[in-house]
Amino acid sequence: MISAPFDYIRPASLEEACRALGDAEEAGDDVKVLAGGQSLLPLLRLRLAYPSALVDIGRLPEPRGVEDRGDHVFVGALTTHDEVMRSSVVRELIPLVALATATVADPAVRHRGTFGGSLAHADPAGDLPAVALALDCVFVVRSVDGEREIPASEFFVDYLEPALEPGEILVGVRVPKLGPGWGFHYEKFHRTAQSWATVGVAAAVRLGEGGGGTVEEARIALTNMGPTPVRAHAVEAALRGADFAPSGSNGAPDRIREACDRADEGSVPPTDLHGGPEYRRHLARVLTYRAVRAAGG
Amino acid sequence: MPRITVSVDGVTYEEEVEPRLLLVHLLRDRLGKTGTPIGCDTGNCGACTVTLDGRSAKSCSVLAVQADGSEVVTIEGLARGQEWHPMQEAFHAEHALQCGYCTPGMIMAAIDLLKDDPDPSEEAVRRGLEGNLCRCTGYSNIVRAVQRGAREMARQEAPRETRPETRQEAPAS
Ligand SMILES: Cc1cc2nc3c(=O)[nH]c(=O)nc-3n(C[C@H](O)[C@H](O)[C@H](O)COP(=O)(O)OP(=O)(O)OC[C@H]3O[C@@H](n4cnc5c(N)ncnc54)[C@H](O)[C@@H]3O)c2cc1C
Ligand code: FES
Ligand code: FES
């Protein structure tokens, strides 16, 4: 299908882009930011969205690229998935982002789709929102009125609804480095190679010093278990102090599994072609166990 | 209407386009490059894959205005005169198509894959082509074709003295 008509604005700088969005907002126009277009163009073609104009920021020189800034890594919103995967800073310092990005879509989509676009799109089936939530990332957004920061826990408001005000552009994301001792895993379950997650689990696990194998801290967030990504607080609390010894050894109960069985608490899983809520709850429990074992192992 | 300049298969075109015109429609309907087909409405099938500024892209998921100033290579830009590209030859030789609808996209995606991995394993080919769907072949012949095409491309690009046939010709010393 062909999308409904719209005006096209290609600003030369981020400032100009903010101004274009600000002006449109004052005029009461429904303007949308266009980055890689890999989510927006299919929506337009299916006529699920009718913006009056697109502001194309896709070729601006900034904000793109990855920067090591001491206690965190700053990922510019326009950095493509492909660039994220190739970045040694991402692979070494924020590996959970690299692991999840490698599961996003396919190579051609990753050449154009952007890190910021996947987050601003706020699709609970997207792989990066859960990662941002698990890692307590901070979103940096800009408008004509200046810059502000939004914690990940407040960024995902509802289905396809980020906490961006009209006229605001996501500039980039601060991804905290979790430091030594942490292990990471992204476990995604999907039916066909390039498809979205039926359910996904982002896990970061820190074991105690001295190789004791006891969980000191865990961060878990779920993909596609509600209208927004879901932080599995119940699992995180139950994992604290749990022993990583091989399951069933000494006849002791597997406390990791008991903790992960709480993965679906507080979730409101959707129904679609791939399954209903009960199936997704089951998947969430099984996949969380796999993710935690892989992250801590 | 925005005016754009875009190079397609080595020829530069200047076109006035509606903002909503997709790159694939520019290629097919305005420039007559019907070698690039459209298989879906959602960016899933990969039939429309082209090279945009050096890397693969789904031309149904790019606006023509977004390609302003860019270089596009389609399946029609691969052959040199009457001589097919080695990847085209390999798809022919390995029977890697039945209806052929997915083939242009498969070949463009395969060539892109080799830029990062010139000698891909079967697993790497399957992963690299995950964004291209074929409803006919069952993929096995496609995977074989990509590996065959890769070997042939490496042979053609290798310095002359390391090519097997020239080594045979070299006088024994
Ligand atoms: C076939 C296919 C399979 C896919 N599979 C997956 C998958 O498995 N997992 C996954 O996570 N994703 C998947 N995606 C989506 C992909 O990750 C997209 O790249 C991403 O969701 C959007 O990034 P974009 O830059 O293309 O954004 P666009 O499509 O340009 O924009 C998306 C939305 O975000 C807004 N936006 C974009 N950038 C900004 C910004 N900087 N500031 C404010 N608003 C902004 C836009 O206005 C729009 O509403 C898939 C896409 C396709 C086509
Ligand atoms: S036509 Fe472009 S991906 Fe299907
Ligand atoms: S040969 Fe028919 S779709 Fe691939």
Side-chain angles (χ1 to χ4, degrees), chain A residues 1-8 10 34-38 41-42 44-47 54 56 58-59 82 86 102 104-112 190 193-196, chain B residues 2 4 18-22 25 38 40-45 49 52-53 55-58 60-63 65-70 112 116 127-133:
Chain A
M1 262 161 67
I2 295 173
S3 83
F6 48 79
D7 289 331
Y8 175 79
R10 192 196 297 151
L34 173 67
Q38 300 303 292
L41 293 187
L44 296 181
R45 288 174 69 194
L46 296 169
R47 300 220 175 188
L54 299 186
D56 183 1
R59 288 207 274 178
D82 186 58
R86 287 171 197 275
V104 169
D106 57 65
V109 171
R110 292 196 296 263
H111 287 147
R112 296 195 62 80
H190 50 159
Q194 137 244 54
S195 65
W196 299 79
Chain B
I4 63 165
E18 245 194 298
R20 61 176 167 168
L21 185 75
L22 299 172
H25 290 135
I38 302 173
C40 73
D41 262 329
T42 51
N44 279 278
C45 76
T49 305
L52 180 59
D53 292 328
R55 292 321 300 250
S56 63
K58 296 180 173 181
C60 73
S61 302
V62 180
L63 298 171
V65 279
Q66 286 178 289
D68 186 16
S70 292
D112 184 76
D116 292 325
R127 279 200 177 284
L129 298 184
E130 68 185 332
N132 295 76
L133 306 181

Side-chain angles (χ1 to χ4, degrees), chain A residues 34-222:
Chain A
L34 173 67
Q38 300 303 292
S39 288
L40 188 51
L41 293 187
L43 280 184
L44 296 181
R45 288 174 69 194
L46 296 169
R47 300 220 175 188
L48 295 172
Y50 294 86
S52 55
L54 299 186
V55 174
D56 183 1
I57 61 170
R59 288 207 274 178
L60 292 181
E62 48 121 29
R64 67 174 74 238
V66 174
E67 209 180 289
D68 179 359
R69 293 191 182 165
D71 64 343
H72 69 273
V73 172
F74 184 80
V75 184
L78 291 174
T79 316
T80 64
H81 298 309
D82 186 58
E83 288 162 348
V84 165
M85 282 170 66
R86 287 171 197 275
S87 160
S88 55
V89 172
V90 171
R91 284 202 304 267
E92 282 158 32
L93 301 178
I94 46 170
L96 188 54
V97 172
L99 293 170
T101 303
T103 75
V104 169
D106 57 65
V109 171
R110 292 196 296 263
H111 287 147
R112 296 195 62 80
T114 65
F115 185 74
S118 332
L119 294 166
H121 193 50
D123 189 333
D127 299 296
L128 299 176
V131 169
L133 192 62
L135 295 179
D136 286 324
C137 291
V138 176
F139 290 66
V140 182
V141 307
R142 196 181 295 174
S143 70
V144 279
D145 300 326
E147 217 163 77
R148 70 181 178 114
E149 293 172 7
I150 309 171
S153 58
E154 293 168 20
F155 188 79
F156 304 103
V157 179
D158 205 343
Y159 181 71
L160 302 189
E161 192 185 324
L164 291 168
E165 299 295 335
E168 279 185 330
I169 295 180
L170 175 62
V171 179
V173 177
R174 293 198 199 123
V175 187
K177 292 183 201 168
L178 287 185
W182 284 89
F184 304 94
H185 189 73
Y186 186 71
E187 183 76 23
K188 174 171 176 172
F189 185 85
H190 50 159
R191 293 269 315 271
T192 54
Q194 137 244 54
S195 65
W196 299 79
T198 306
V199 172
V201 180
V205 173
R206 183 164 61 88
L207 300 185
E209 308 267 306
T214 302
V215 178
E216 298 258 305
E217 203 182 340
R219 314 265 196 96
I220 316 286
L222 311 175

Side-chain angles (χ1 to χ4, degrees), chain B residues 49-172:
Chain B
T49 305
V50 298
T51 302
L52 180 59
D53 292 328
R55 292 321 300 250
S56 63
K58 296 180 173 181
S59 60
C60 73
S61 302
V62 180
L63 298 171
V65 279
Q66 286 178 289
D68 186 16
S70 292
E71 244 179 64
V72 177
V73 179
T74 77
I75 187 75
E76 297 182 43
L78 294 184
R80 293 280 160 267
Q82 293 302 306
E83 194 184 328
W84 282 356
H85 186 282
M87 195 57 79
Q88 291 174 302
E89 282 286 357
F91 269 64
H92 176 77
E94 294 288 350
H95 304 285
L97 56 142
Q98 286 180 29
C99 79
Y101 206 86
C102 68
T103 311
M106 284 288 176
I107 290 180
M108 298 312 290
I111 291 172
D112 184 76
L113 158 70
L114 301 184
K115 289 178 183 152
D116 292 325
D117 186 357
D119 182 21
S121 64
E122 180 188 331
E123 168 72 12
V125 174
R126 288 183 184 274
R127 279 200 177 284
L129 298 184
E130 68 185 332
N132 295 76
L133 306 181
C134 178
R135 299 290 79 166
C136 304
T137 65
Y139 299 102
S140 294
N141 290 3
I142 293 177
V143 175
R144 268 195 292 278
V146 173
Q147 290 184 306
R148 182 186 183 123
R151 282 192 301 273
E152 181 56 23
M153 283 168 69
R155 200 183 64 81
Q156 291 189 9
E157 274 159 29
R160 283 209 77 80
E161 61 273 22
T162 62
R163 286 196 196 175
E165 77 271 74
T166 49
R167 227 188 284 141
Q168 278 165 17
E169 283 159 19

